[in-house]
């Protein structure tokens, strides 16, 4: 059963990351085309659907299956690498919350981030993915 839960955990991690990789890319173009009402409306719709239909459910299911794995193997909580991995996951959750704030402000016409800032922020999930995968696979003794 453990391996089935782990498989579903990984499936939802992949779905979540797909959204994390894409949301700020949408923001880049939303900022770029903010003065074109039809394009801005299209980006606003895509951002909302990405967050609420893909990212939020994928994040929640990633967490549910992850907690289930911890419940089945509580020894994980005693390993330093796992704490590092969980720290990365907490930053991802904060990133997604920030994406929600950005989406809300952009939909209100408050483009407080530049196109360049959105491009830079878009790289955060890649860096976190690298760290999380390295910790999960190599399980270094910290």
């Amino acid at each position: 059963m453990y391996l089935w839960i782990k498989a579903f955990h990984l499936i939802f991690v992949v779905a979540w990351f797909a959204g994390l990789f894409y949301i700020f890319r949408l923001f880049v173009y939303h900022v770029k085309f903010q003065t074109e009402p039809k394009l801005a409306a299209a980006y606003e719709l895509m951002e909302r659907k990405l967050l609420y239909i893909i990212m939020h459910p994928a994040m929640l299911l990633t967490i549910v299956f992850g907690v289930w794995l911890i419940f089945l193997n509580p020894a994980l909580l005693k390993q330093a690498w796992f704490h590092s991995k969980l720290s990365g996951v907490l930053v991802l959750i904060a990133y997604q919350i920030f994406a929600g704030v950005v989406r809300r402000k952009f939909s209100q016409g408050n483009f407080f981030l530049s196109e360049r800032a959105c491009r830079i922020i878009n790289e955060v999930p890649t860096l976190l993915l690298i760290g999380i995968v390295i910790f999960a696979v190599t399980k270094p003794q910290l």
Side-chain angles (χ1 to χ4, degrees):
M1 181 156 141
Y2 187 84
L3 293 178
W4 279 100
I5 296 164
K6 192 174 190 178
F8 281 105
H9 175 68
L10 291 171
I11 289 165
F12 291 113
V13 165
V14 170
W16 186 23
F17 266 97
L20 292 168
F21 290 148
Y22 193 48
I23 190 68
F24 270 88
R25 175 59 46 197
L26 288 175
F27 294 154
V28 165
Y29 294 111
H30 195 162
V31 171
K32 185 174 186 171
F33 297 111
Q34 64 185 286
T35 58
E36 298 183 36
K38 286 185 180 183
L39 287 175
Y43 284 114
E44 186 177 326
L45 177 66
M46 289 187 290
E47 293 157 3
R48 188 176 71 247
K49 285 186 174 187
L50 180 61
L51 271 166
Y52 291 107
I53 296 173
I54 297 171
M55 292 174 67
H56 287 343
M59 178 187 70
L60 291 173
L61 288 165
T62 295
I63 292 167
V64 165
F65 283 101
V67 168
W68 197 351
L69 289 169
I70 294 168
F71 177 77
L72 293 174
N73 186 8
L76 290 170
L77 293 172
K78 296 179 182 174
Q79 299 179 33
W81 69 266
F82 191 74
H83 290 270
S84 298
K85 177 190 165 194
L86 283 180
S87 297
V89 172
L90 290 175
V91 175
L92 286 173
I93 292 168
Y95 180 90
Q96 182 159 323
I97 292 167
F98 179 63
V101 169
V102 172
R103 188 209 64 80
R104 198 171 316 109
K105 288 184 181 271
F106 280 13
S107 71
Q108 296 167 348
N110 180 0
F111 293 92
F112 69 102
L113 292 174
S114 68
E115 184 180 333
R116 185 171 190 270
C118 290
R119 287 180 192 279
I120 292 168
I121 295 167
N122 189 53
E123 301 308 321
V124 170
T126 302
L127 299 173
L128 289 166
L129 176 67
I130 291 167
I132 290 168
V133 168
I134 287 172
F135 281 118
V137 172
T138 66
K139 297 174 177 52
Q141 300 301 316
L142 304 176

